[in-house]
Amino acid sequence: MSHEQVVYLAELTVFDPALGAEKVLRYSSGQGFITGGGDSPPHTYYAPRIKQPIDVTRDLFSTGATSGATRVGYGDLVLINPDGELDGLLDYAFDGRELNIFRYGGEGHPHYSDFTLVIAATMTQAEFSTNSVTVKVRDRQYELTIPLQPRKYAGTNVLPNGLEGVAADLRGKVKPVCYGVVKNISPPIVNTSKLVFQVNDSAVLSVDVVYDRGVALTRGTSYASEADLLNDALAPAAGTFKDYPAGGYFRVGTAPTGLVTADVTQGATAADRTAGQIFIALLNRAADNNAFFTSAAQVLPVTDTGDTFVTDTGATLAAGGRWSDADIIALDAANPAVLGFWTDEEMKLAQVVDLVASTVGAWWGVDRNGVFRIERLTAPDGVPVAVFTANDMKRPPERVAVNDEWRGLPVYRQVIRWGKNYAVQPTDIAASVTDARRAYLAQEWREAVATDTSIQRKNLLAPSVEEESLFTVEADAQAEASRRLGLRGIRRDRFELFVPLTDDTAKIDLGKVIEFSYPRYGLAVEGSAAGALFRVLGVAPNGRERSLRLNVWGRPTGSGNLVTGTSDFFVTDTGEYLLTGAA
């Protein structure tokens, strides 16, 4: 007689020093599992070692927030080892490699194809105790917690030659990184003899303007090669500059009298400078900077099919370091604004992705398939991926505080800071600089403001929210300020739902929209079974308890219909009849 069961499978990619190569370890919960002959992989044994299936808590932002830096998911996979059979794994390397967890819930012996992928994650380390092995797990977002810029100046110039600085000035400092359009940056001088500066560690479209103490130098022709850049016979004339876009350099013709700054454009066209395109560029940078970001199994020739990729052998996978093309297309359509970012300081790559995403009001992360996602946070709408009523929940929903700086109060004023001046110059400016230019140089930011004072009539403590951005055009910043005010100018609530963990609910992922109804908190219109739409901000599965905690955010429906009571029925303001719950 068949019976319902829940089985988990784990596939861990590790480095075996004896082989000098990677291999896959396979384990199961329950009594063990052998794949069938028609499965892929066929006749493969999954040893019964899983004590605790992976429970990675994942949130779009810090717990309870609806903005800010995204959060890496954390969890553990616990394998039983009282017999010491797994002790040999002590010498294996787990860190930075792929872990896939699959789940099956049903009757009878499943086929491998019946399993649902719970999460594609990455591992940091394995901890060994007397009776167990605990594998520390992070979602793939963790792979971006690496330096933005690993390349540093060697300080090896033998002046007047070289572009690496000397030991006394640049040795060990990171090289600058530039995306989009930036204004008044203060780039490092990489050759003090030839007066060469570097604005980016790779190509730019152009160095648009160079300033000395706020005075614009005359632009000369661009260099065609690094050799030309360093050729004194081709040096710029006094009071001028020449750029070498392919290398990210420029050279000035006169020794500076003060601070040298520049305006720079990176990216071939405006369409290459959007949040979506810079997001892609940063993921590609991660692949270049981190050898483990894309494992050997994930660089097979692939065909893009949206959220997943199909290898040349026909297997479907979430490709390492890849992203959802659908997300990029949608984000660029929703906000095609030109952004700008520049730094010559140590930063984590994930920090810059946070800046890019937050500029356009988006969240970014990794879905359960291991695909990098980026979507603008909007009010919940559309067709929900799941619908819950009170009878579907393991316990009543909990209304919890919104953890943004404004604590869930409606916002009456939204400020977006834009057009960053990367080198603020309140003093040491040449006398010939205009008053307008002086005013610009003295301020780091410009501001776009959206205000609705009517909100303060109801909410006396309604806050003003100020946020920095990478916008380069005022109109783009103003549009985003207005959009955020519309999103935040009304009360939206956060709830925690506890539902059974099934194959269907396990598919609910970050950013998705669900619907739920409950006879409190205005979560169902009176006389209707319809619930309210909420966006999923956090997911926390519990494999042992077979439960799923959802952190959701939205606006209760309340008793919003204008109705007139007529015994067992209500009549809406449009003249429609609505059956009451009592009837």
Side-chain angles (χ1 to χ4, degrees):
M1 179 178 179
S2 62
H3 63 279
E4 186 174 354
Q5 61 175 332
V6 175
V7 182
Y8 286 90
L9 302 182
E11 296 180 340
L12 301 78
T13 300
V14 298
F15 183 85
D16 182 349
L19 294 177
E22 290 183 341
K23 69 179 183 181
V24 177
L25 305 177
R26 295 181 170 92
Y27 304 107
S28 73
S29 63
Q31 301 301 311
F33 182 83
I34 300 177
T35 61
D39 286 329
S40 177
H43 306 301
T44 301
Y45 180 57
Y46 287 73
R49 293 281 177 179
I50 296 179
K51 176 182 180 181
Q52 174 183 300
I54 183 173
D55 297 327
V56 176
T57 299
R58 300 159 58 230
D59 297 283
L60 294 187
F61 310 103
S62 62
T63 303
T66 60
S67 64
T70 54
R71 183 176 178 180
V72 175
Y74 294 80
D76 295 333
L77 170 67
V78 181
L79 306 175
I80 57 175
N81 187 37
D83 54 5
E85 285 295 318
L86 303 183
D87 290 353
L89 303 183
L90 274 167
D91 294 328
Y92 286 25
F94 293 77
D95 54 300
R97 291 181 168 84
E98 184 178 8
L99 166 68
N100 292 322
I101 301 289
F102 303 87
R103 181 187 186 280
Y104 169 79
E107 297 182 348
H109 185 81
H111 294 287
Y112 184 74
S113 58
D114 295 328
F115 283 84
T116 298
L117 179 67
V118 175
I119 191 170
T122 190
M123 300 173 287
T124 59
Q125 60 183 339
E127 297 178 351
F128 290 77
S129 65
T130 303
N131 294 315
S132 64
V133 178
T134 300
V135 180
K136 297 295 182 180
V137 181
R138 306 292 182 264
D139 74 19
R140 294 202 57 222
Q141 208 173 351
Y142 182 78
E143 297 173 28
L144 269 63
T145 58
I146 59 174
L148 168 71
Q149 178 58 290
R151 292 177 283 279
K152 300 183 178 182
Y153 289 108
T156 54
N157 283 1
V158 179
L159 295 175
N161 298 313
L163 294 170
E164 291 290 330
V166 297
D169 55 22
L170 293 183
R171 177 182 288 177
K173 290 197 64 175
V174 296
K175 296 186 176 183
V177 174
C178 179
Y179 290 106
V181 176
V182 293
K183 302 290 186 181
N184 211 49
I185 65 170
S186 178
I189 182 168
V190 297
N191 186 310
T192 53
S193 295
K194 297 180 184 291
L195 304 178
V196 178
F197 296 76
Q198 187 172 22
V199 300
N200 191 26
D201 68 339
S202 57
V204 297
L205 181 68
S206 65
V207 177
D208 304 317
V209 188
V210 172
Y211 305 90
D212 181 0
R213 295 183 64 207
V215 176
L217 306 182
T218 302
R219 180 185 180 85
T221 57
S222 296
Y223 290 111
S225 67
E226 185 177 304
D228 288 348
L229 172 71
L230 297 175
N231 186 345
D232 288 339
L234 300 175
T240 71
F241 78 95
K242 293 183 177 181
D243 64 348
Y244 173 44
Y249 300 98
F250 69 84
R251 181 174 178 176
V252 299
T254 306
T257 61
L259 183 67
V260 173
T261 61
D263 297 345
V264 179
T265 298
Q266 181 274 340
T269 68
D272 298 308
R273 305 169 196 139
T274 64
Q277 299 308 310
I278 294 176
F279 178 73
I280 291 174
L282 289 166
L283 292 184
N284 284 331
R285 178 178 284 269
D288 292 339
N289 293 356
N290 185 354
F292 297 112
F293 187 77
T294 305
S295 70
Q298 295 170 318
V299 295
L300 296 171
V302 296
T303 301
D304 191 346
T305 61
D307 292 348
T308 58
F309 299 82
V310 179
T311 70
D312 54 354
T313 61
T316 299
L317 56 86
R322 297 303 297 268
W323 52 86
S324 165
D325 283 341
D327 283 1
I328 302 301
I329 292 170
L331 184 62
D332 282 352
N335 196 321
V338 170
L339 309 190
F341 169 81
W342 185 86
T343 189
D344 63 348
E345 301 292 337
E346 301 270 8
M347 292 185 70
K348 295 294 186 183
L349 197 147
Q351 290 177 279
V352 185
V353 181
D354 281 339
L355 291 174
V356 171
S358 64
T359 291
V360 293
W363 62 268
W364 72 277
V366 181
D367 66 19
R368 65 186 183 87
N369 293 312
V371 174
F372 282 86
R373 308 295 303 271
I374 182 168
E375 291 184 355
R376 191 161 68 158
L377 183 67
T378 60
D381 63 358
V383 179
V385 298
V387 177
F388 300 107
T389 67
N391 293 334
D392 298 317
M393 300 179 196
K394 295 178 75 72
R395 63 189 192 202
E398 294 183 7
R399 187 178 184 275
V400 290
V402 176
N403 200 30
D404 291 310
E405 60 178 277
W406 53 94
R407 294 293 186 265
L409 282 172
V411 171
Y412 89 95
R413 181 173 180 266
Q414 175 70 57
V415 179
I416 300 291
R417 295 191 175 110
W418 66 278
K420 183 174 182 177
N421 167 16
Y422 281 84
V424 178
Q425 295 174 259
T427 59
D428 191 30
I429 302 173
S432 60
V433 175
T434 66
D435 289 343
R437 179 70 181 170
R438 286 173 183 273
Y440 169 84
L441 293 175
Q443 301 295 323
E444 183 178 10
W445 297 100
R446 270 59 19 218
E447 291 186 348
V449 182
T451 305
D452 184 351
T453 55
S454 68
I455 293 170
Q456 293 175 297
R457 296 193 191 105
K458 177 181 178 182
N459 299 98
L460 299 181
L461 298 180
S464 172
V465 176
E466 300 179 357
E467 295 170 298
E468 297 176 358
S469 77
L470 302 181
F471 287 121
T472 60
V473 176
E474 182 177 11
D476 295 327
Q478 187 63 58
E480 181 61 17
S482 298
R483 187 187 78 87
R484 290 190 200 179
L485 183 64
L487 191 65
R488 298 168 174 173
I490 59 176
R491 194 196 89 210
R492 299 186 193 274
D493 297 340
R494 188 169 71 91
F495 288 87
E496 284 189 346
L497 309 185
F498 299 84
V499 299
L501 180 61
T502 66
D503 287 347
D504 288 332
T505 61
K507 296 176 183 178
I508 300 173
D509 214 338
L510 297 175
K512 300 300 184 183
V513 172
I514 66 155
E515 176 186 310
F516 81 97
S517 59
Y518 193 74
R520 290 186 64 186
Y521 310 119
L523 290 169
V525 177
E526 188 173 3
S528 170
L533 295 180
F534 283 79
R535 194 168 297 282
V536 177
L537 301 186
V539 293
N542 187 319
R544 284 181 294 181
E545 296 183 4
R546 300 187 186 181
S547 67
L548 175 67
R549 175 170 58 84
L550 298 174
N551 176 3
V552 300
W553 167 83
R555 181 169 172 78
T557 51
S559 300
N561 290 5
L562 297 177
V563 297
T564 302
T566 59
S567 185
D568 290 340
F569 297 86
F570 287 90
V571 180
T572 70
D573 56 343
T574 60
E576 297 173 308
Y577 285 95
L578 187 66
L579 184 65
T580 69

PDB file of all heavy atoms in Angstrom, residues 152-176:
ATOM      1  N   LYS A 152      45.217  46.266  -8.533  1.00  0.00           N
ATOM      2  CA  LYS A 152      45.832  47.373  -7.808  1.00  0.00           C
ATOM      3  C   LYS A 152      47.091  47.845  -8.528  1.00  0.00           C
ATOM      4  O   LYS A 152      47.699  47.104  -9.315  1.00  0.00           O
ATOM      5  CB  LYS A 152      46.172  46.939  -6.377  1.00  0.00           C
ATOM      6  CG  LYS A 152      44.947  46.501  -5.584  1.00  0.00           C
ATOM      7  CD  LYS A 152      45.285  46.140  -4.156  1.00  0.00           C
ATOM      8  CE  LYS A 152      44.031  45.745  -3.377  1.00  0.00           C
ATOM      9  NZ  LYS A 152      44.322  45.430  -1.967  1.00  0.00           N
ATOM     10  N   TYR A 153      47.460  49.070  -8.236  1.00  0.00           N
ATOM     11  CA  TYR A 153      48.661  49.630  -8.853  1.00  0.00           C
ATOM     12  C   TYR A 153      49.902  48.954  -8.279  1.00  0.00           C
ATOM     13  O   TYR A 153      50.027  48.752  -7.072  1.00  0.00           O
ATOM     14  CB  TYR A 153      48.737  51.134  -8.627  1.00  0.00           C
ATOM     15  CG  TYR A 153      47.720  51.908  -9.423  1.00  0.00           C
ATOM     16  CD1 TYR A 153      46.621  52.497  -8.793  1.00  0.00           C
ATOM     17  CD2 TYR A 153      47.850  52.062 -10.803  1.00  0.00           C
ATOM     18  CE1 TYR A 153      45.672  53.199  -9.522  1.00  0.00           C
ATOM     19  CE2 TYR A 153      46.910  52.761 -11.539  1.00  0.00           C
ATOM     20  CZ  TYR A 153      45.817  53.329 -10.889  1.00  0.00           C
ATOM     21  OH  TYR A 153      44.883  54.026 -11.616  1.00  0.00           O
ATOM     22  N   ALA A 154      50.804  48.623  -9.191  1.00  0.00           N
ATOM     23  CA  ALA A 154      52.026  47.915  -8.790  1.00  0.00           C
ATOM     24  C   ALA A 154      53.094  48.852  -8.245  1.00  0.00           C
ATOM     25  O   ALA A 154      54.005  48.422  -7.525  1.00  0.00           O
ATOM     26  CB  ALA A 154      52.586  47.131  -9.981  1.00  0.00           C
ATOM     27  N   GLY A 155      53.006  50.150  -8.584  1.00  0.00           N
ATOM     28  CA  GLY A 155      54.019  51.100  -8.129  1.00  0.00           C
ATOM     29  C   GLY A 155      55.377  50.847  -8.749  1.00  0.00           C
ATOM     30  O   GLY A 155      56.416  51.109  -8.129  1.00  0.00           O
ATOM     31  N   THR A 156      55.398  50.356  -9.994  1.00  0.00           N
ATOM     32  CA  THR A 156      56.653  49.923 -10.626  1.00  0.00           C
ATOM     33  C   THR A 156      57.150  50.866 -11.719  1.00  0.00           C
ATOM     34  O   THR A 156      58.017  50.489 -12.499  1.00  0.00           O
ATOM     35  CB  THR A 156      56.455  48.523 -11.237  1.00  0.00           C
ATOM     36  OG1 THR A 156      55.312  48.539 -12.117  1.00  0.00           O
ATOM     37  CG2 THR A 156      56.236  47.487 -10.149  1.00  0.00           C
ATOM     38  N   ASN A 157      56.592  52.069 -11.792  1.00  0.00           N
ATOM     39  CA  ASN A 157      57.077  53.005 -12.819  1.00  0.00           C
ATOM     40  C   ASN A 157      58.583  53.257 -12.662  1.00  0.00           C
ATOM     41  O   ASN A 157      59.081  53.417 -11.544  1.00  0.00           O
ATOM     42  CB  ASN A 157      56.367  54.356 -12.701  1.00  0.00           C
ATOM     43  CG  ASN A 157      54.959  54.324 -13.258  1.00  0.00           C
ATOM     44  OD1 ASN A 157      54.482  53.285 -13.717  1.00  0.00           O
ATOM     45  ND2 ASN A 157      54.289  55.466 -13.200  1.00  0.00           N
ATOM     46  N   VAL A 158      59.268  53.289 -13.776  1.00  0.00           N
ATOM     47  CA  VAL A 158      60.647  53.797 -13.830  1.00  0.00           C
ATOM     48  C   VAL A 158      60.550  55.082 -14.635  1.00  0.00           C
ATOM     49  O   VAL A 158      60.589  55.076 -15.866  1.00  0.00           O
ATOM     50  CB  VAL A 158      61.606  52.784 -14.481  1.00  0.00           C
ATOM     51  CG1 VAL A 158      63.014  53.363 -14.533  1.00  0.00           C
ATOM     52  CG2 VAL A 158      61.589  51.462 -13.718  1.00  0.00           C
ATOM     53  N   LEU A 159      60.320  56.154 -13.913  1.00  0.00           N
ATOM     54  CA  LEU A 159      60.031  57.421 -14.582  1.00  0.00           C
ATOM     55  C   LEU A 159      61.153  57.825 -15.521  1.00  0.00           C
ATOM     56  O   LEU A 159      62.336  57.579 -15.242  1.00  0.00           O
ATOM     57  CB  LEU A 159      59.790  58.501 -13.524  1.00  0.00           C
ATOM     58  CG  LEU A 159      58.548  58.265 -12.645  1.00  0.00           C
ATOM     59  CD1 LEU A 159      58.451  59.307 -11.546  1.00  0.00           C
ATOM     60  CD2 LEU A 159      57.281  58.269 -13.494  1.00  0.00           C
ATOM     61  N   PRO A 160      60.768  58.368 -16.667  1.00  0.00           N
ATOM     62  CA  PRO A 160      59.448  58.886 -17.023  1.00  0.00           C
ATOM     63  C   PRO A 160      58.500  57.866 -17.660  1.00  0.00           C
ATOM     64  O   PRO A 160      57.501  58.267 -18.247  1.00  0.00           O
ATOM     65  CB  PRO A 160      59.792  59.974 -18.036  1.00  0.00           C
ATOM     66  CG  PRO A 160      60.986  59.422 -18.749  1.00  0.00           C
ATOM     67  CD  PRO A 160      61.782  58.712 -17.703  1.00  0.00           C
ATOM     68  N   ASN A 161      58.790  56.564 -17.543  1.00  0.00           N
ATOM     69  CA  ASN A 161      57.947  55.554 -18.178  1.00  0.00           C
ATOM     70  C   ASN A 161      57.022  54.872 -17.169  1.00  0.00           C
ATOM     71  O   ASN A 161      57.262  54.908 -15.962  1.00  0.00           O
ATOM     72  CB  ASN A 161      58.831  54.502 -18.860  1.00  0.00           C
ATOM     73  CG  ASN A 161      59.679  55.100 -19.960  1.00  0.00           C
ATOM     74  OD1 ASN A 161      59.186  55.843 -20.792  1.00  0.00           O
ATOM     75  ND2 ASN A 161      60.976  54.789 -19.947  1.00  0.00           N
ATOM     76  N   GLY A 162      55.957  54.233 -17.691  1.00  0.00           N
ATOM     77  CA  GLY A 162      55.071  53.434 -16.866  1.00  0.00           C
ATOM     78  C   GLY A 162      53.737  54.088 -16.578  1.00  0.00           C
ATOM     79  O   GLY A 162      53.591  55.312 -16.668  1.00  0.00           O
ATOM     80  N   LEU A 163      52.766  53.232 -16.229  1.00  0.00           N
ATOM     81  CA  LEU A 163      51.413  53.692 -15.902  1.00  0.00           C
ATOM     82  C   LEU A 163      50.912  53.054 -14.604  1.00  0.00           C
ATOM     83  O   LEU A 163      49.712  52.921 -14.383  1.00  0.00           O
ATOM     84  CB  LEU A 163      50.448  53.329 -17.044  1.00  0.00           C
ATOM     85  CG  LEU A 163      50.684  54.042 -18.378  1.00  0.00           C
ATOM     86  CD1 LEU A 163      49.833  53.431 -19.477  1.00  0.00           C
ATOM     87  CD2 LEU A 163      50.392  55.539 -18.242  1.00  0.00           C
ATOM     88  N   GLU A 164      51.869  52.672 -13.739  1.00  0.00           N
ATOM     89  CA  GLU A 164      51.520  51.985 -12.495  1.00  0.00           C
ATOM     90  C   GLU A 164      51.874  52.793 -11.259  1.00  0.00           C
ATOM     91  O   GLU A 164      51.792  52.278 -10.143  1.00  0.00           O
ATOM     92  CB  GLU A 164      52.229  50.624 -12.432  1.00  0.00           C
ATOM     93  CG  GLU A 164      51.723  49.611 -13.429  1.00  0.00           C
ATOM     94  CD  GLU A 164      50.324  49.119 -13.095  1.00  0.00           C
ATOM     95  OE1 GLU A 164      49.980  49.085 -11.898  1.00  0.00           O
ATOM     96  OE2 GLU A 164      49.571  48.758 -14.025  1.00  0.00           O
ATOM     97  N   GLY A 165      52.240  54.058 -11.412  1.00  0.00           N
ATOM     98  CA  GLY A 165      52.654  54.843 -10.268  1.00  0.00           C
ATOM     99  C   GLY A 165      53.980  54.362  -9.722  1.00  0.00           C
ATOM    100  O   GLY A 165      54.620  53.451 -10.275  1.00  0.00           O
ATOM    101  N   VAL A 166      54.427  54.978  -8.636  1.00  0.00           N
ATOM    102  CA  VAL A 166      55.662  54.560  -7.979  1.00  0.00           C
ATOM    103  C   VAL A 166      55.312  54.094  -6.571  1.00  0.00           C
ATOM    104  O   VAL A 166      54.193  54.278  -6.088  1.00  0.00           O
ATOM    105  CB  VAL A 166      56.699  55.701  -7.939  1.00  0.00           C
ATOM    106  CG1 VAL A 166      57.103  56.103  -9.352  1.00  0.00           C
ATOM    107  CG2 VAL A 166      56.166  56.910  -7.172  1.00  0.00           C
ATOM    108  N   ALA A 167      56.290  53.479  -5.910  1.00  0.00           N
ATOM    109  CA  ALA A 167      56.034  52.905  -4.591  1.00  0.00           C
ATOM    110  C   ALA A 167      55.526  53.943  -3.596  1.00  0.00           C
ATOM    111  O   ALA A 167      54.728  53.636  -2.711  1.00  0.00           O
ATOM    112  CB  ALA A 167      57.306  52.249  -4.062  1.00  0.00           C
ATOM    113  N   ALA A 168      55.978  55.185  -3.749  1.00  0.00           N
ATOM    114  CA  ALA A 168      55.633  56.213  -2.766  1.00  0.00           C
ATOM    115  C   ALA A 168      54.229  56.780  -2.946  1.00  0.00           C
ATOM    116  O   ALA A 168      53.713  57.437  -2.037  1.00  0.00           O
ATOM    117  CB  ALA A 168      56.655  57.351  -2.831  1.00  0.00           C
ATOM    118  N   ASP A 169      53.600  56.557  -4.120  1.00  0.00           N
ATOM    119  CA  ASP A 169      52.276  57.160  -4.296  1.00  0.00           C
ATOM    120  C   ASP A 169      51.138  56.150  -4.479  1.00  0.00           C
ATOM    121  O   ASP A 169      50.182  56.133  -3.710  1.00  0.00           O
ATOM    122  CB  ASP A 169      52.277  58.190  -5.430  1.00  0.00           C
ATOM    123  CG  ASP A 169      52.785  57.648  -6.758  1.00  0.00           C
ATOM    124  OD1 ASP A 169      52.759  56.429  -6.961  1.00  0.00           O
ATOM    125  OD2 ASP A 169      53.198  58.472  -7.608  1.00  0.00           O
ATOM    126  N   LEU A 170      51.226  55.260  -5.462  1.00  0.00           N
ATOM    127  CA  LEU A 170      50.061  54.440  -5.795  1.00  0.00           C
ATOM    128  C   LEU A 170      50.182  52.956  -5.464  1.00  0.00           C
ATOM    129  O   LEU A 170      49.184  52.237  -5.564  1.00  0.00           O
ATOM    130  CB  LEU A 170      49.743  54.569  -7.294  1.00  0.00           C
ATOM    131  CG  LEU A 170      49.261  55.937  -7.776  1.00  0.00           C
ATOM    132  CD1 LEU A 170      48.921  55.873  -9.260  1.00  0.00           C
ATOM    133  CD2 LEU A 170      48.048  56.409  -6.983  1.00  0.00           C
ATOM    134  N   ARG A 171      51.354  52.486  -5.082  1.00  0.00           N
ATOM    135  CA  ARG A 171      51.496  51.038  -4.872  1.00  0.00           C
ATOM    136  C   ARG A 171      50.447  50.524  -3.881  1.00  0.00           C
ATOM    137  O   ARG A 171      50.290  51.045  -2.779  1.00  0.00           O
ATOM    138  CB  ARG A 171      52.885  50.692  -4.361  1.00  0.00           C
ATOM    139  CG  ARG A 171      53.048  49.181  -4.066  1.00  0.00           C
ATOM    140  CD  ARG A 171      54.397  48.854  -3.526  1.00  0.00           C
ATOM    141  NE  ARG A 171      55.419  48.954  -4.564  1.00  0.00           N
ATOM    142  CZ  ARG A 171      56.724  48.776  -4.332  1.00  0.00           C
ATOM    143  NH1 ARG A 171      57.149  48.513  -3.101  1.00  0.00           N
ATOM    144  NH2 ARG A 171      57.591  48.887  -5.330  1.00  0.00           N
ATOM    145  N   GLY A 172      49.718  49.490  -4.309  1.00  0.00           N
ATOM    146  CA  GLY A 172      48.721  48.853  -3.449  1.00  0.00           C
ATOM    147  C   GLY A 172      47.356  49.500  -3.472  1.00  0.00           C
ATOM    148  O   GLY A 172      46.412  48.961  -2.882  1.00  0.00           O
ATOM    149  N   LYS A 173      47.209  50.646  -4.136  1.00  0.00           N
ATOM    150  CA  LYS A 173      45.894  51.278  -4.226  1.00  0.00           C
ATOM    151  C   LYS A 173      45.098  50.667  -5.373  1.00  0.00           C
ATOM    152  O   LYS A 173      45.654  50.331  -6.424  1.00  0.00           O
ATOM    153  CB  LYS A 173      46.036  52.787  -4.445  1.00  0.00           C
ATOM    154  CG  LYS A 173      46.567  53.563  -3.249  1.00  0.00           C
ATOM    155  CD  LYS A 173      46.292  55.049  -3.399  1.00  0.00           C
ATOM    156  CE  LYS A 173      44.827  55.354  -3.404  1.00  0.00           C
ATOM    157  NZ  LYS A 173      44.527  56.812  -3.425  1.00  0.00           N
ATOM    158  N   VAL A 174      43.778  50.544  -5.182  1.00  0.00           N
ATOM    159  CA  VAL A 174      42.966  49.954  -6.233  1.00  0.00           C
ATOM    160  C   VAL A 174      42.840  50.907  -7.417  1.00  0.00           C
ATOM    161  O   VAL A 174      42.856  52.136  -7.256  1.00  0.00           O
ATOM    162  CB  VAL A 174      41.557  49.586  -5.723  1.00  0.00           C
ATOM    163  CG1 VAL A 174      41.639  48.515  -4.653  1.00  0.00           C
ATOM    164  CG2 VAL A 174      40.812  50.809  -5.208  1.00  0.00           C
ATOM    165  N   LYS A 175      42.710  50.345  -8.590  1.00  0.00           N
ATOM    166  CA  LYS A 175      42.504  51.139  -9.794  1.00  0.00           C
ATOM    167  C   LYS A 175      41.043  51.580  -9.875  1.00  0.00           C
ATOM    168  O   LYS A 175      40.153  50.888  -9.379  1.00  0.00           O
ATOM    169  CB  LYS A 175      42.905  50.333 -11.032  1.00  0.00           C
ATOM    170  CG  LYS A 175      44.383  49.988 -11.051  1.00  0.00           C
ATOM    171  CD  LYS A 175      44.821  49.313 -12.345  1.00  0.00           C
ATOM    172  CE  LYS A 175      46.336  49.088 -12.351  1.00  0.00           C
ATOM    173  NZ  LYS A 175      46.815  48.506 -13.626  1.00  0.00           N
ATOM    174  N   PRO A 176      40.784  52.729 -10.488  1.00  0.00           N
ATOM    175  CA  PRO A 176      39.414  53.254 -10.499  1.00  0.00           C
ATOM    176  C   PRO A 176      38.473  52.419 -11.356  1.00  0.00           C
ATOM    177  O   PRO A 176      38.885  51.753 -12.305  1.00  0.00           O
ATOM    178  CB  PRO A 176      39.585  54.666 -11.059  1.00  0.00           C
ATOM    179  CG  PRO A 176      40.848  54.621 -11.844  1.00  0.00           C
ATOM    180  CD  PRO A 176      41.734  53.643 -11.143  1.00  0.00           C
TER     181      PRO A 176
END
